[in-house]
Amino acid sequence: MHRFRSVLIGLALLCIPATALAQSDTDWRRTYLADLEAARRVIAEDHPGPVDEKNPAFRRTLASAYDEARRAAPLVKSYTSYAIALHRFVNRFQDAHLSFSPRSRPLEGVRAAGIYPVWQGKAFVVDEVDTRYGERAPALKGATIVSCDGIPASRLFTDRVLSWRGRPAVAADWFLWAPLLLVDYGPPTPKAPARCRLRAGTETKTLTLQWKPITPDEERAVRERLIAMPHRPLRTSTLEDGTIWVDVPTFQVNEESDVAAMRGMIDSLGAEMKRNPHWKLLVFDLRGNHGGSEEWGDEIAAAVFGKEWADAAANWLDDGAYVEWRVSKDNVEALKGNVQQQEKRHGKDHPLVAQTRAFVDTMSAALASGRSLYSLPSPAQGLPRPPAVAVPGKIVLVTSASCYSACLDFLDRMRLHPAVVQVGQTTGVDTVYMDTWGEGLPSGLGSISHPMKVYRNRKRGNNEAYAPKVAYEGRLADTDALRSWIIANYRSW
């Protein structure tokens, strides 16, 4: 929503207290309870949710999540259990924009069974097997993990992993966190299983798990290997069969060189479409795209359908939509810090700085008057959905589970056109709570990041994902196989 995105150009700086980062192991319960109380206060005072009359469930979640987190305090006996318990508290809100952000201190005492699956075909399929399993390793790869210690693999995953790192109702999180199914972090997560049943074809076998310590770097590396999409520059290419393939791995372009690359990609797209006015297949490869600025998606839509259609699509999506900002002392201070950042970047006389400064003054006045929310309502005009413009071929959007933020904004626009087909994986999600900044916790061990505003009347719902018309059941990171599949099948979509 263009008129609001210009207010904040980035996240406010995290305010981490200058207290000691190291804590005595005998102090973890007290440290946890102090940080938990601070996190609860930050959410209560600075997040829009507790004063959002259209979402009364948020206040109930805050109360129940806090009570549950306090009951977990006896299990907090180490840094790892401290961090997981705080993660579990904020994870109860099922919002990626509300999170506990620890400092660089790694989790301790982590173990792995050496069996690493991916989420494929709604099952946990073993993708990597450690050499500790010797001659059995090749046979285990490709097998499906059915259950462990009699617990279905899906329930094991929600209890041990998604309880503090993801959202069971969000399909994308099953893709993103599946490799950690058989990684053990200790309390307060459930006890690690001893045996798992695996199915390979028609045969089912029981495997005794071999648990060994794993470093945070090793854990991170294996997960990234299994979920990572191939690194690609921003570019437009024409394949041998005439397919126009556009790599858009990000909308997050800030440096001058990145901006130039995005401009070059969009210009090349426009030039290629003019050079080949009868193109049959145009593919936007969004694998690995985490979002960034929606303005780039608008420019791409304009390059494909024309500026008039792109503007009409944006106006229809924005019609009647507006935001409400949570008014609080901390949020006003965050906005003031953003003004200072903009002044350093653009100069005190830049129009964007003046606009943001005026908004901060308005928020300050709202704070002085005792308001809890400040809004700029935008009445709906009843604008019509933009009619389709003619294009010569099919447009395919390839999405991965990482797609959220501006990536979803791009899909909002592109999916309005009937020539567009989404394939690949189900996207990530955004709640209606946006524009995040962070506040440090008393221990200095981390911060709570939270949104400052809530969208009203957004066409895409809260935590609503976009499922592909055609799911890709192969390895999405395999570009050659993906291209062959699309080219062979797109005419039937």
Side-chain angles (χ1 to χ4, degrees):
M1 301 173 189
H2 310 283
R3 58 188 178 279
F4 301 115
R5 288 294 178 95
S6 60
V7 174
L8 289 180
I9 61 172
L11 303 182
L13 294 176
L14 298 179
C15 303
I16 306 294
T19 56
L21 294 183
Q23 300 287 331
S24 168
D25 282 358
T26 59
D27 235 9
W28 283 115
R29 181 177 180 274
R30 185 172 64 181
T31 299
Y32 165 70
L33 288 172
D35 282 357
L36 172 65
E37 173 55 31
R40 186 209 61 79
R41 179 194 58 77
V42 167
I43 297 170
E45 295 180 0
D46 300 331
H47 192 292
V51 294
D52 185 358
E53 296 301 328
K54 296 185 178 182
N55 185 17
F58 191 98
R59 291 190 293 275
R60 295 194 294 270
T61 298
L62 178 58
S64 62
Y66 178 66
D67 289 344
E68 180 182 293
R70 283 191 60 85
R71 291 196 298 272
L75 297 174
V76 178
K77 300 176 181 179
S78 66
Y79 171 73
T80 297
S81 55
Y82 154 89
I84 290 175
L86 281 176
H87 276 299
R88 290 180 73 169
F89 168 63
V90 296
N91 195 55
R92 280 287 308 279
F93 298 91
Q94 300 291 276
D95 181 358
H97 290 101
L98 176 54
S99 61
F100 166 60
S101 304
R103 295 296 293 266
S104 58
R105 180 168 176 167
L107 298 182
E108 302 153 353
V110 181
R111 302 185 304 159
I115 306 289
Y116 303 105
V118 294
W119 182 246
Q120 186 173 311
K122 296 186 177 180
F124 292 96
V125 179
V126 177
D127 192 88
E128 285 193 13
V129 182
D130 190 81
T131 55
R132 73 189 73 166
Y133 292 96
E135 295 179 353
R136 292 172 295 173
L140 293 172
K141 189 170 182 180
T144 297
I145 301 174
V146 178
S147 62
C148 297
D149 287 356
I151 302 172
S154 57
R155 200 178 97 203
L156 194 77
F157 183 62
T158 56
D159 291 346
R160 292 178 50 77
V161 181
L162 294 185
S163 63
W164 64 285
R165 307 195 89 158
R167 297 151 293 182
V170 176
D173 284 0
W174 291 68
F175 288 102
L176 296 175
W177 296 106
L180 304 186
L181 172 67
L182 295 177
V183 175
D184 177 39
Y185 301 89
T189 63
K191 181 182 178 181
R195 296 174 182 81
C196 288
R197 289 180 62 242
L198 294 91
R199 183 175 60 246
T202 59
E203 182 183 358
T204 300
K205 62 183 71 177
T206 298
L207 177 71
T208 299
L209 300 177
Q210 299 182 32
W211 293 95
K212 293 183 179 181
I214 185 173
T215 69
D217 287 343
E218 291 170 337
E219 178 219 57
R220 188 182 309 109
V222 71
R223 178 172 173 264
E224 288 178 354
R225 282 199 305 273
L226 269 57
I227 70 168
M229 296 298 140
H231 176 75
R232 312 172 321 278
L234 292 158
R235 65 186 173 191
T236 298
S237 308
T238 302
L239 307 185
E240 290 182 3
D241 69 335
T243 297
I244 303 173
W245 192 281
V246 186
D247 285 297
V248 195
T250 185
F251 289 120
Q252 186 72 45
V253 290
N254 297 314
E255 300 299 327
E256 188 174 340
S257 60
D258 296 332
V259 172
M262 179 67 81
R263 293 277 182 210
M265 181 270 286
I266 296 173
D267 290 345
S268 296
L269 170 61
E272 190 57 40
M273 294 176 67
K274 288 181 180 179
R275 188 179 303 115
N276 180 13
H278 303 295
W279 53 268
K280 297 302 180 185
L281 177 60
L282 170 60
V283 179
F284 288 98
D285 186 349
L286 298 163
R287 290 176 298 164
N289 192 311
H290 296 278
S293 171
E294 69 172 349
E295 307 298 334
W296 298 116
D298 288 344
E299 291 198 26
I300 293 172
V304 177
F305 302 117
K307 189 174 187 305
E308 183 178 351
W309 186 91
D311 288 346
N315 290 335
W316 181 79
L317 289 165
D318 283 354
D319 189 26
Y322 64 99
V323 300
E324 288 190 293
W325 291 81
R326 178 67 194 267
V327 181
S328 73
K329 180 178 180 296
D330 289 336
N331 288 349
V332 170
E333 289 302 314
L335 292 167
K336 288 179 179 178
N338 198 67
V339 172
Q340 294 173 0
Q341 288 180 340
Q342 291 184 10
E343 287 177 347
K344 291 179 181 179
R345 185 175 302 179
H346 302 293
K348 293 185 177 182
D349 298 327
H350 194 279
L352 179 60
V353 176
Q355 178 187 7
T356 308
R357 190 183 296 115
F359 179 74
V360 172
D361 291 342
T362 302
M363 285 283 284
S364 298
L367 178 64
S369 66
R371 297 178 62 175
S372 57
L373 289 172
Y374 170 74
S375 64
L376 296 169
S378 177
Q381 303 176 51
L383 297 177
R385 178 171 171 150
V389 296
V391 292
K394 186 82 72 176
I395 301 170
V396 173
L397 307 180
V398 183
T399 58
S400 63
S402 62
C403 180
Y404 66 99
S405 185
C407 181
L408 290 175
D409 293 334
F410 181 57
L411 265 65
D412 287 341
R413 285 140 178 75
M414 298 295 288
R415 284 169 53 106
L416 294 177
H417 198 285
V420 172
V421 176
Q422 178 191 346
V423 305
Q425 292 176 345
T426 299
T427 67
V429 298
D430 286 338
T431 69
V432 293
Y433 298 114
M434 303 289 275
D435 268 318
T436 304
W437 82 292
E439 182 171 337
L441 296 174
S443 68
L445 290 167
S447 62
I448 290 294
S449 299
H450 65 86
M452 291 193 288
K453 72 183 184 186
V454 54
Y455 277 116
R456 301 299 190 197
N457 303 330
R458 189 178 71 181
K459 294 291 194 299
R460 176 168 29 92
N462 186 70
N463 269 351
E464 179 182 348
Y466 282 132
K469 179 179 180 181
V470 185
Y472 186 60
E473 299 299 346
R475 190 67 181 270
L476 195 60
D478 187 337
T479 300
D480 290 339
L482 174 68
R483 284 181 172 178
S484 297
W485 175 74
I486 291 174
I487 292 170
N489 294 284
Y490 78 91
R491 293 176 183 84
S492 64
W493 297 338

